[in-house]
Amino acid sequence: MTWPQIRARLRRLRRLPRRRTVKRVALALLLVVVVPVVAAAGALRASYAGAPADDAVTRGRDAVWLGHAWVDGRRSEKDLAGLKQRVAGTGIRDLYVHAGPLEHDGTLPASAYRGARRLIDAVHRELPGVRVQAWLGDVVAHGSTDGLKLGSAATRDAVVASARQVLTAGFEGVHLDVEPVSDGDGGFLALLDSLRPAVRSGGGVLSVAAQQIDPLPSMHAASRAFGGRKWWSQGYFAKVARRTDQIAVMSYDTALPWESLYGGYVAQQTRLALEVTPTGTDLLMGLPFFHTDDMGHHGSAETAAAALRGARLGLTREDRHRERFGVALYVDFAATEGDWRAYREAWGKRGQ
């Protein structure tokens, strides 16, 4: 039912006697709101059903987000030994180490990542083959709000300069996490158009943290009408993916209340992302390695195990043999042993 049809129906209801009007309004709300929600829940449960393929396992292209403590002196050699033990024998290839945040003008003080060289050297020694990327982020300005102004050429140039700066410091890539980016934002695409060649010329890879894809057609437009910017259209996601070497979907904070719904949602997100991500771009699905409880995230529902099963199901159904696919674990300092165990057991090591 379209919004013009809904408005026409409500106008007709206003002409009915009051008692009948109340009943009709209740029925209209049931048809317009409740029924689609129930249908969507059923679809997500169905997406979570079935068994993933046995070979829907790690391709050795996984990543983990690491907190700022790794570059500000709070993490020790003992912590690195613990990290080595956790990632040994897994598909972890990239470490997104928080090296920011960016200033609102796009600049980055060198003091923000003063311990980076020590960490990078230690990772190369203890975890050969694992890359260390600089995780750079900031809140995006919208209207009168403070933040990164993506529409400003000077701000974009400053972000590119900051990327060159961290590559000179020894990082092997830039993981850009600026949010929320509105669907269709041309400033963000312009930034990526400048950033990718700059990062590549410095010998690095460009990775981007991506917002979720519309679970329903035009959901991004409806969300924006109420002040939200949670979702991107599939078309805009494709434009971002084409401008990156690696794209990691932040497939958590969904507000879904049950594991089966959340797992089905991740399966759906995986399918939608696979449909439009170029085969030359690494696609990673973000996993919740944190356990806060609020309106947007229910820890009992958004589990690592459900996300992994959902990602495996989506991969199995859409592009089972895709090589450039992985998962990204968010975030190291909130992860439990159970999260790491779920990752190892469900996603495992290739060949197991």
Side-chain angles (χ1 to χ4, degrees):
M1 183 181 294
T2 66
W3 281 114
Q5 290 172 325
I6 294 168
R7 286 195 296 269
R9 176 168 292 185
L10 290 176
R11 280 195 297 271
R12 289 195 299 271
L13 289 174
R14 292 192 190 102
R15 303 190 190 104
L16 297 173
R18 179 176 179 80
R19 184 173 298 175
R20 291 182 63 196
T21 299
V22 171
K23 291 181 179 180
R24 292 292 182 89
V25 168
L27 179 58
L29 290 174
L30 178 67
L31 293 173
V32 172
V33 179
V34 178
V35 172
V37 168
V38 172
L44 293 181
R45 287 184 187 276
S47 293
Y48 197 54
D54 291 340
D55 59 356
V57 293
T58 187
R59 275 81 167 123
R61 295 177 180 271
D62 304 332
V64 57
W65 279 277
L66 301 182
H68 201 79
W70 290 95
V71 293
D72 68 6
R74 285 177 287 163
R75 293 292 191 184
S76 65
E77 291 293 326
K78 182 179 179 181
D79 294 311
L80 182 61
L83 180 65
K84 178 181 178 180
Q85 184 177 13
R86 286 193 173 96
V87 305
T90 71
I92 297 292
R93 182 190 186 191
D94 286 295
L95 307 180
Y96 302 147
V97 182
H98 192 266
L102 294 166
E103 300 292 330
H104 288 343
D105 63 0
T107 60
L108 179 68
S111 58
Y113 53 91
R114 61 182 182 275
R117 174 54 68 180
R118 179 178 61 85
L119 171 68
I120 294 167
D121 290 344
V123 169
H124 289 169
R125 182 180 67 250
E126 300 296 332
L127 295 167
V130 173
R131 297 183 299 200
V132 184
Q133 297 192 40
W135 170 12
L136 303 179
D138 191 20
V139 63
V140 175
H142 294 284
S144 61
T145 62
D146 289 335
L148 202 66
K149 294 179 172 59
L150 296 175
S152 164
T155 298
R156 296 195 300 268
D157 289 345
V159 175
V160 172
S162 296
R164 291 195 176 103
Q165 187 179 315
V166 294
L167 293 171
T168 300
F171 285 101
E172 296 157 285
V174 172
H175 177 71
L176 184 66
D177 177 14
V178 296
E179 51 184 293
V181 174
S182 297
D183 181 74
D185 192 314
F188 186 55
L189 298 180
L191 172 59
L192 297 180
D193 284 336
S194 299
L195 194 56
R196 190 181 194 187
V199 171
R200 284 185 163 184
S201 67
V205 294
L206 175 62
S207 174
V208 170
Q211 289 165 217
Q212 296 160 30
I213 301 172
D214 276 352
L216 298 171
S218 300
M219 180 69 83
H220 65 279
S223 172
R224 190 163 58 246
F226 291 96
R229 294 177 174 85
K230 184 175 183 62
W231 293 286
W232 287 345
S233 65
Q234 196 179 34
Y236 187 67
F237 184 96
K239 291 179 181 179
V240 173
R242 289 197 296 268
R243 290 166 166 82
T244 67
D245 299 306
Q246 189 180 73
I247 187 165
V249 184
M250 296 180 286
S251 40
Y252 38 77
D253 290 339
T254 65
L256 291 168
W258 299 299
E259 267 191 308
S260 59
L261 298 185
Y262 174 63
Y265 183 84
V266 174
Q268 180 199 56
Q269 287 290 305
T270 301
R271 175 182 60 79
L272 292 170
L274 282 168
E275 285 178 349
V276 296
T277 301
T279 55
T281 299
D282 287 351
L283 170 63
L284 278 62
M285 301 306 296
L287 308 183
F289 267 37
F290 62 101
H291 303 270
T292 56
D293 276 293
D294 53 37
M295 289 294 291
H297 179 89
H298 300 289
S300 60
E302 293 192 23
T303 66
L308 283 159
R309 187 166 185 271
R312 295 184 66 204
L313 286 166
L315 177 63
T316 298
R317 293 164 182 159
E318 182 59 34
D319 195 354
R320 175 176 169 181
H321 300 295
R322 182 181 173 109
E323 284 297 312
R324 304 191 72 140
F325 183 84
V327 296
L329 322 177
Y330 184 86
V331 60
D332 77 301
F333 55 80
T336 65
E337 290 300 327
D339 294 328
W340 284 103
R341 184 168 56 252
Y343 166 64
R344 284 178 172 272
E345 291 177 355
W347 195 231
K349 180 179 180 181
R350 194 161 199 173
Q352 285 186 341

